[in-house]
């Protein structure tokens, strides 16, 4: 190869990546054209890709192989750090836990549940939905975790609220509740506008523009009245062939809709992190921690290791733990990153001082729980035409989640409740059989007798009584103050990370961004020392 040819290729390689270089080689007859064509040979970094400048071979002990710990280890590993993770459980992921047949779990009440879901069936006991803008999506892309849509809003799902109004204690489709709420609110605002109530706020022209919007938004008919609209709320007789134009199901009255509060949940889907599209990994949320574990190197994760002491020393950090065989050990490294939930880290003796101890005790653990009901018939699809999505209720179930995959399959796992606060606490206090019974009794109020039929198996998780977690997440009264800031700062050679140190608590995004922040701080320190 002549010098000019070589330098030409080097130039192409430098600016265009490997794909362009192979293309140029093909054009010069040096590489087969088939190799030249695809761009798959080189994936250019995306703006979201996290990379550190500079490398270090320092050692880091990461406490906890949940999302924060795994992300910390993964990113430090890219920059050359030698990382070891200590994890109490026998699996990666922490609260990111996909429950499958054959799993067993003993909770802190002392009850052991054995999961009997059929092959291919699962429940995401922890995180179960990912919004498009979360960094979680970037890790799924980077690690090759296949995604599918998660149905967070479904017009055919239900609302069911207790009370003594005409629309209480009844199941109403989201689509009907929405059409009626939007319809009547639009009617009222149109009425106020037409009566001159907005004359001080809007010009005549702008009032007309508002009315144009309201007629469309509320599906108003003649005289700016909501009379059930044009079919948004659903049909008693559906439009079909020939002359069958359909019969719109009649709307309840304005007073009944307002009084019932059936519209109380529709703001949820406007939330920054709850609006469609949302996603889930194909086959279970734990595809993410397993992909991270693989990228980190499974040999770097020591399972069954319970941390019993954390110390910063003049030369690094020291961690006491009992290993999987119950043998007490001490590990040392240049740095420690502690990702344990703060209320659990608070129980581990350390030499980081009373300020750190007070900080770890500050955030308040929040309970949450779910039950997975495996049905041998997908009645919600066959009978109710609900394909994924969530029913909202003020019964203590809070929400019923229909599976976002496996449509028209033979069986499926419905999340029979996903609740917080007092409801979660009261279910946590019950043995599984009673949780299940209560879930089914309440679910039948929403779906009828079908709810109690064809249940093949069930499993419930109460995060407040789950070992190594003891909460679904934590709440801070103050994320500006001393306690929070103390845990954001390194304490000697010990750092903290976790979703609790983010403004995306109870999201993998929070754990991942916290891990990145800690990794960045640690690496900057190493690079400048
Ligand atoms: N991320 C969890 C969820 O989506 C918990 C959460 C709920 C966080 C609502 C914020 C808002 O269910």
């Amino acid at each position: 190869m002549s010098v000019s040819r070589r330098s030409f290729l080097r130039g192409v390689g430098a600016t265009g990546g490997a794909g362009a270089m192979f293309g140029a080689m093909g054009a010069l007859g040096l590489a087969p054209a088939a190799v030249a064509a695809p761009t798959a040979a080189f994936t250019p970094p995306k703006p979201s890709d996290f990379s550190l400048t500079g490398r270090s071979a320092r050692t880091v002990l990461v406490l906890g192989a949940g999302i924060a710990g795994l992300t910390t280890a993964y990113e430090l590993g890219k920059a050359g750090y030698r990382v070891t993770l200590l994890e109490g459980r026998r699996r990666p992921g922490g609260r990111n836990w996909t429950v499958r047949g054959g799993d067993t779990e003993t909770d802190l009440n002392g009850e052991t549940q054995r999961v009997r879901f059929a092959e291919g069936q699962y429940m995401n006991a922890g995180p179960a939905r990912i919004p498009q803008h979360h960094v979680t999506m970037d890790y799924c892309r980077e690690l090759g975790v296949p995604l599918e849509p998660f149905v967070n809003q479904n017009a055919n799902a239900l609302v069911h609220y207790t009370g003594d109004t005409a629309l209480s204690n009844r199941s109403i489709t989201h689509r009907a509740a929405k059409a009626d709420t939007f319809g009547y609110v639009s009617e009222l605002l149109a009425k106020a506008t037409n009566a001159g109530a907005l004359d001080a706020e809007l010009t005549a022209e702008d009032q007309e523009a508002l009315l144009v919007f309201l007629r469309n938004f509320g599906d108003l008919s003649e005289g700016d009245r909501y009379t059930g609209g044009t079919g948004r709320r659903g049909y008693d007789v559906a439009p079909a062939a020939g002359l069958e134009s359909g019969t719109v199901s009649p709307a309840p009255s304005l007073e009944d809709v307002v009084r019932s509060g059936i519209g109380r949940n529709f703001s949820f889907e406007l939330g920054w992190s709850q609006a469609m599209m949302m996603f889930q990994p194909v086959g279970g949320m734990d595809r993410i921690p397993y992909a991270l574990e693989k990228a980190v190197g499974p040999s770097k994760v020591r399972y069954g290791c319970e941390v019993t002491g954390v110390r910063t020393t003049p030369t690094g950090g020291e961690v006491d733990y009992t290993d999987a065989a119950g043998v007490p050990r001490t590990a040392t490294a240049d740095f420690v990153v502690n990702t344990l939930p703060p209320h659990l880290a608070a129980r581990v003796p350390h030499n980081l001082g009373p300020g750190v101890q007070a900080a770890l005790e500050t955030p308040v653990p929040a309970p949450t729980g779910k039950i997975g009901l495996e049905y041998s018939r997908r009645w919600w699809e066959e009978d109710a035409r609900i394909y994924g999505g969530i029913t909202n209720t003020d019964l203590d179930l809070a929400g019923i989640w229909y599976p976002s995959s496996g449509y028209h399959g033979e069986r499926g796992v419905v999340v029979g409740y996903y609740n917080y606060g007092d409801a979660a606490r009261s279910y946590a206090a019950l043995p599984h059989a009673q949780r299940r019974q209560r879930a089914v009794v309440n679910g039948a109020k929403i779906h009828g007798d079908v709810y109690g039929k064809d249940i093949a198996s069930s499993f419930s998780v109460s995060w407040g009584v789950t070992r190594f977690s003891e909460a679904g997440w934590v709440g801070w009264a103050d994320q500006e103050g001393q306690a929070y800031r103390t845990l954001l700062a390194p304490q000697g050679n010990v750092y903290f990370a976790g979703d609790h140190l983010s403004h995306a608590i109870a999201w993998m995004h929070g754990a991942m961004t916290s891990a990145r922040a800690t990794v960045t701080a640690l690496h900057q320190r190493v690079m400048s020392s």
Side-chain angles (χ1 to χ4, degrees), residues 129 268 274 401 418 420 473 505-507:
R129 48 186 165 196
F268 184 75
Q274 296 290 356
W401 293 30
Y418 167 35
Y420 327 99
W473 49 80
I505 287 178
W507 293 103

Side-chain angles (χ1 to χ4, degrees), residues 180-198 210-211 214-215 217-218 220 223-227 253-259:
D180 295 344
T181 305
F182 293 179
Y184 283 127
V185 167
S186 296
E187 176 183 314
L188 288 172
L189 192 46
K191 204 171 268 175
T193 305
N194 287 327
L198 298 184
L210 177 63
L211 287 169
L214 291 171
R215 286 166 193 145
F217 181 71
L220 303 183
D224 292 339
R225 291 181 46 82
Y226 177 68
T227 56
S253 73
L254 166 76
E255 293 77 6
D256 285 345
V257 168
V258 169
R259 230 177 262 148

